[in-house]
Amino acid sequence: MSYEIWENARLATMQEGQDANYGLIDDGVLVVEGKQLAWVGPRSDMPMQYRHGAFMHDARNALVTPGLIDCHTHLVYGGHRANEFELRLNGASYEDIARAGGGIKSTVQATRMASEAELYKAALKRLTHLMKEGVTTLEIKSGYGLSLENEAKCLRVARQLALDCPIQIKNTFLGAHAVPPEFQDNADAYIDAVVTMMAPLQAQGLIDAVDAFCDRIGFTYAQTEKVFKEAQRLNLPVKLHAEQLTDSHGASLAAKYGALSCDHLEWLSEEGAAAMAKAGTVAVLLPGAFYFIRETKLPPIELLRQHKVPMAISTDSNPGSSPCTSLLLMLNMACTLMRLTPQEALAGVTRVAAQALGLIDRGALCANQRADFVLWDVQHPAELAYAFGSNPCLSTVWGGQVR
Ligand code: DI6
Ligand code: FE
């Protein structure tokens, strides 16, 4: 097979250990073979064998980073919640609205009413926006259907998006997101139903991982563990919405089940952080939700650093707490609101985000990784986190192809 060579690139390789300075290579070359990177490095070191018969691309001195990875989204849902945004501006809190039957439950109603085609159309718009900013892999959670039939409907939409669009999508089953109206006041019975949904969804090829919302407006520690036990039995990896509104010890529980990630984590304790470090669980920080529901308690970034828990950043794109389809904006907010360095933030949407999805074939620019990369109209990678409200993406290469 012949090679395609991208030259005149300034590379931020984001390789492990090298990202003290983003793994920067000033006059860099990427050699692509099929869907993979065959060689990455400075032009002066490139073995001549690759040049023979290769197709050449001029990156025109663009900055090149790995394709961005959005590792926590709820992209498929019906309707919107601008009305609740108004209620909150008139004094109600996010939790007040949830308890009064709004919140997640109102989106569940809209999602159940929507046809598969309507859900697809709405999600495609959001996906297109993310892709325009260089997102090449993302996760989509269910969790607004809350019955076998409606969860399957949403997960099929996510699978269809992946078939139709140049992007890879990981599906996560979040049946344990909220208690649906037909199980009102009987969360335990609903959890039993969630447990029975997993095997059929897996048999239909619709799920890659399992998530739950463990919090005072979500599910208890014991209920969450029931879900995890079944996931473990089915060999499905788990992750958790943990310690968003309270310390419910979700992080320790998730770590006990070898979770890929714990997400939100505003109320994470030292014990939780230590457990995550030991289990190799990634902390997924969601600055959009922190900002939009006006949290005042920051996730304990210093604690995560001390315990060497890898930090990923994601949009949490959803209608209630983060109606956001800009991963670049999250880079900026992770720095301004949560005080991550631009380098930590960029690792958080590339290498560490890949880890949060259990993917080892992407997230950095080096040989044998997927040829997923983005050309940016900026001089230095810190600019990606620094500027907000603009999109410097020039083009995106996904699996070796310009998309
Ligand atoms: N935490 C969140 O931030 C989203 N889900 C969750 O468990 C919000 C979902 C929503 O408000 O619709
Ligand atoms: Fe979420």
Side-chain angles (χ1 to χ4, degrees):
M1 192 191 290
S2 67
Y3 300 104
E4 296 199 20
I5 296 180
W6 291 78
E7 58 181 3
N8 296 320
R10 278 171 312 104
L11 305 178
T13 65
M14 304 311 290
Q15 275 191 69
E16 177 104 68
Q18 285 184 23
D19 64 343
N21 197 21
Y22 303 92
L24 273 180
I25 300 174
D26 257 342
D27 185 7
V29 172
L30 297 156
V31 180
V32 176
E33 183 180 18
K35 292 185 171 163
Q36 303 274 114
L37 292 167
W39 189 87
V40 177
R43 179 206 298 269
S44 53
D45 292 359
M46 188 181 78
M48 282 314 286
Q49 73 197 71
Y50 293 122
R51 233 169 232 289
H52 183 71
F55 186 89
M56 303 301 292
H57 298 267
D58 186 354
R60 297 166 194 254
N61 215 24
L63 177 82
V64 180
T65 67
L68 304 191
I69 299 174
D70 195 351
C71 64
H72 177 144
T73 86
H74 309 246
L75 213 66
V76 177
Y77 57 85
H80 63 80
R81 305 232 291 275
N83 54 328
E84 291 182 7
F85 183 56
E86 289 199 305
L87 287 176
R88 285 201 286 125
L89 286 162
N90 284 297
S93 75
Y94 181 78
E95 282 193 66
D96 292 340
I97 293 168
R99 289 184 206 285
I104 295 175
K105 285 178 194 136
S106 70
T107 299
V108 170
Q109 201 188 354
T111 304
R112 287 178 171 185
M113 302 274 286
S115 69
E116 214 157 312
E118 286 164 341
L119 291 172
Y120 179 92
K121 198 171 155 205
L124 180 60
K125 272 193 210 166
R126 297 187 272 267
L127 181 63
T128 304
H129 203 274
L130 288 165
M131 286 173 58
K132 281 187 182 150
E133 288 188 350
V135 174
T136 52
T137 299
L138 97 160
E139 186 241 25
I140 296 181
K141 300 175 195 296
S142 65
Y144 291 116
L146 307 188
S147 67
L148 180 57
E149 176 202 346
N150 283 290
E151 289 287 290
K153 176 173 77 173
C154 296
L155 292 161
R156 278 196 303 271
V157 168
R159 285 285 193 244
Q160 194 59 45
L161 289 167
L163 287 174
D164 298 345
C165 304
I167 187 160
Q168 189 180 352
I169 298 176
K170 284 281 193 183
N171 275 14
T172 298
F173 172 60
L174 177 56
H177 193 196
V179 179
E182 61 278 17
F183 285 91
Q184 180 91 48
D185 300 322
N186 202 349
D188 283 322
Y190 177 60
I191 285 295
D192 292 342
V194 167
V195 166
T196 65
M197 291 178 207
M198 276 186 247
L201 291 172
Q202 185 186 34
Q204 291 168 58
L206 289 174
I207 54 178
D208 306 310
V210 172
D211 192 352
F213 183 26
C214 180
D215 221 311
R216 68 179 170 222
I217 58 167
F219 295 92
T220 64
Y221 185 103
Q223 290 163 344
T224 304
E225 184 155 28
K226 271 195 171 175
V227 175
F228 282 180
K229 280 214 165 103
E230 177 66 359
Q232 190 176 55
R233 193 183 71 81
L234 297 171
N235 266 323
L236 288 164
V238 301
K239 53 182 79 181
L240 189 65
H241 281 70
E243 344 294 25
Q244 182 183 8
L245 307 166
T246 51
D247 180 10
S248 306
H249 311 288
S252 301
L253 172 63
K256 193 168 118 189
Y257 285 82
L260 289 171
S261 70
C262 289
D263 306 37
H264 287 288
L265 298 174
E266 280 79 354
W267 293 80
L268 179 69
S269 67
E270 172 131 35
E271 192 193 332
M276 287 173 68
K278 203 163 156 223
T281 300
V282 172
V284 179
L285 307 176
L286 304 165
F290 175 84
Y291 159 78
F292 193 68
I293 61 176
R294 305 190 76 229
E295 293 276 0
T296 49
K297 191 168 164 64
L298 279 165
I301 305 299
E302 208 41 60
L303 196 64
L304 292 167
R305 285 188 184 122
Q306 274 165 23
H307 285 270
K308 299 198 167 41
V309 177
M311 293 181 281
I313 312 292
S314 172
T315 58
D316 194 14
S317 188
N318 78 71
S321 68
S322 190
C324 168
T325 49
S326 172
L327 193 52
L328 287 178
L329 180 58
M330 297 304 101
L331 274 187
N332 175 268
M333 286 190 183
C335 298
T336 52
L337 299 175
M338 298 181 167
R339 314 308 292 164
L340 262 67
T341 66
Q343 188 174 277
E344 284 172 323
L346 190 58
V349 295
T350 54
R351 192 186 64 244
V352 185
Q355 191 183 340
L357 293 178
L359 295 168
I360 54 169
D361 64 343
R362 68 197 71 194
L365 299 176
C366 59
N368 301 319
Q369 290 261 296
R370 267 182 68 89
D372 291 353
F373 51 87
V374 188
L375 279 66
W376 303 99
D377 184 16
V378 301
Q379 296 288 314
H380 190 274
E383 288 175 67
L384 297 175
Y386 149 83
F388 58 101
S390 51
N391 179 10
C393 177
L394 295 167
S395 59
T396 301
V397 174
W398 184 72
Q401 305 274 319
V402 179
R403 74 174 186 198

